[in-house]
């Protein structure tokens, strides 16, 4: 059986929840902490709602949630402003850096999946809402576990983060791949899938290991079958609504999907 892609040229992978950090736990925990420091309780669901955005934009999006905005008004007697967002972002970065080492384990099957993609003739790009300073820690941890993409694009590498398509355009440039339908975006966040759609790329969503389920591997293992199925359905529905052409549980399933997409491209199909 042919296992080489004839038409696709590259895959752009997200990081937390897709290739590392089962459940995308590290950023959610820190978002809660920066608001808690101001006497504002943010639920994990609220902290995860804008996941995938650049981190300053994410903080602003959480602050704009009506329930959080009301809590802020009640606690401080005024609405939050851009100075508040800047201050929280400045506090977020060292907090995030301090916990990254605990959450940089590759998701099971990630290294093997990336190896399979390379054997299919594909270039491997990556993008994240993390900054370059944060990714120095994550990238090195991933490298030691056998994962090293061809490029690592961060929040600073585009004028605006996901769902804008700019990071994907930058990945296409650095990988020297065009048109955009030769690229597949793999992401566990709604805004990541939207970015792929906005760029004109194929999109594959990740459900079980990602932000939509939002559980560590141990928490996932402790679920009943009914609970697990309900969470998977919820995550898949959100990713499908965002425009994902495919949704799989983890990156381990992505290589088979890429071969299916390559066959569709051979028949003249393009991402919608």
């Amino acid at each position: 059986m042919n296992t080489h892609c004839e038409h696709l040229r590259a895959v752009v992978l997200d990081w937390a929840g897709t290739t590392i950090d089962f459940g995308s736990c590290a950023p959610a925990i820190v978002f809660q902490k920066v608001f808690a420091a101001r006497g504002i309780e943010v639920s994990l669901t609220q902290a995860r709602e804008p996941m995938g955005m650049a981190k300053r934009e994410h903080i602003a999006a959480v602050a704009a949630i009506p329930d959080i905005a009301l809590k802020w008004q009640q606690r401080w007697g005024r609405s939050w402003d851009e100075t508040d967002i800047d201050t929280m972002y400045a506090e977020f970065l060292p907090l995030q850096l301090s916990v990254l080492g605990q959450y940089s384990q590759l998701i099971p099957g990630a290294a093997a999946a990336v190896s399979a993609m390379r054997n299919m003739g594909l270039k491997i790009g990556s993008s994240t809402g993390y900054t370059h300073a944060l990714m120095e820690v994550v990238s090195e941890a991933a490298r030691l576990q056998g994962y090293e993409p061809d490029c690592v694009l961060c929040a600073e590498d585009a004028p605006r983060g996901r769902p804008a398509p700019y990071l994907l355009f930058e990945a296409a440039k650095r990988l020297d791949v065009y048109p955009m339908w030769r690229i597949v975006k793999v992401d566990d966040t709604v805004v990541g899938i939207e970015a792929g759609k906005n760029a004109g790329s194929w999109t594959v969503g990740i459900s079980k290991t990602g932000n939509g389920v939002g559980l560590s591997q141990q928490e996932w293992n402790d679920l009943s079958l009914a609970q697990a199925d309900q969470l998977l359905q919820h995550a898949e529905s959100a990713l499908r609504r965002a425009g994902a052409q495919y949704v799989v549980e983890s990156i381990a399933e992505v290589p088979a999907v890429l071969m299916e997409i390559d066959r569709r491209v051979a028949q003249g199909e393009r991402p919608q």
Side-chain angles (χ1 to χ4, degrees):
M1 185 179 76
N2 180 27
T3 57
H4 192 278
C5 285
E6 300 296 330
H7 305 280
L8 296 178
R9 294 289 180 266
V11 180
V12 177
L13 305 171
D14 180 44
W15 282 85
T18 297
T19 53
I20 61 153
D21 187 8
F22 193 113
S24 192
C25 296
I29 291 167
V30 178
F31 287 126
Q32 285 185 301
K33 286 183 177 181
V34 295
F35 279 91
R38 281 150 185 79
I40 311 295
E41 182 180 353
V42 173
S43 71
L44 267 176
T45 299
Q46 290 170 324
R48 290 182 177 280
E49 193 172 305
M51 197 69 79
M53 290 182 171
K55 301 314 175 193
R56 187 192 181 283
E57 293 173 2
H58 187 132
I59 292 169
V62 172
I65 295 172
D67 175 58
I68 304 303
L70 178 60
K71 288 180 179 178
W72 189 289
Q73 181 71 42
Q74 292 171 338
R75 174 68 178 81
W76 297 102
R78 63 174 179 82
S79 300
W80 58 268
D81 58 27
E82 293 300 317
T83 300
D84 296 313
I85 302 302
D86 287 337
T87 302
M88 284 193 286
Y89 180 59
E91 293 173 9
F92 169 89
L93 293 173
L95 275 174
Q96 186 71 88
L97 191 62
S98 71
V99 304
L100 275 179
Q102 305 168 45
Y103 296 96
S104 293
Q105 185 70 31
L106 281 189
I107 288 169
V114 171
S115 178
M117 294 173 200
R118 290 201 184 280
N119 290 336
M120 294 159 67
L122 298 171
K123 297 178 180 180
I124 310 296
S126 69
S127 63
T128 178
Y130 284 157
T131 63
H132 280 288
L134 297 174
M135 282 307 298
E136 286 181 11
V137 175
V138 177
S139 295
E140 178 60 13
R143 186 188 66 79
L144 293 174
Q145 297 170 76
Y147 172 46
E148 191 169 11
D150 299 318
C151 70
V152 179
L153 296 174
C154 300
E156 308 99 308
D157 294 319
R160 191 146 41 100
R162 294 168 287 187
Y166 305 132
L167 283 172
L168 272 167
F169 293 156
E170 182 64 23
K173 184 176 76 172
R174 296 196 189 186
L175 297 172
D176 189 21
V177 173
Y178 70 94
M180 295 303 293
W181 53 261
R182 291 189 183 274
I183 296 174
V184 180
K185 180 69 175 84
V186 181
D187 206 297
D188 63 286
T189 68
V190 165
V191 295
I193 295 299
E194 290 173 341
K197 185 176 180 180
N198 290 337
S201 299
W202 295 90
T203 53
V204 179
I206 302 291
S207 60
K208 181 177 79 175
T209 70
N211 182 66
V213 170
L215 298 178
S216 69
Q217 190 164 10
Q218 185 59 58
E219 290 170 332
W220 170 263
N221 292 341
D222 291 339
L223 294 176
S224 68
L225 289 177
Q227 289 172 322
D229 185 62
Q230 183 179 23
L231 288 172
L232 283 177
Q233 288 186 30
H234 175 77
E236 178 171 350
S237 295
L239 292 165
R240 293 278 187 191
R241 286 195 301 271
Q245 285 105 0
Y246 295 86
V247 178
V248 295
E249 292 186 8
S250 82
I251 191 172
E253 301 171 63
V254 171
V257 172
L258 297 176
M259 291 306 303
E260 171 63 21
I261 294 174
D262 199 63
R263 287 191 288 270
R264 291 176 62 178
V265 173
Q267 295 167 3
E269 290 190 53
R270 298 293 182 265
Q272 300 297 315

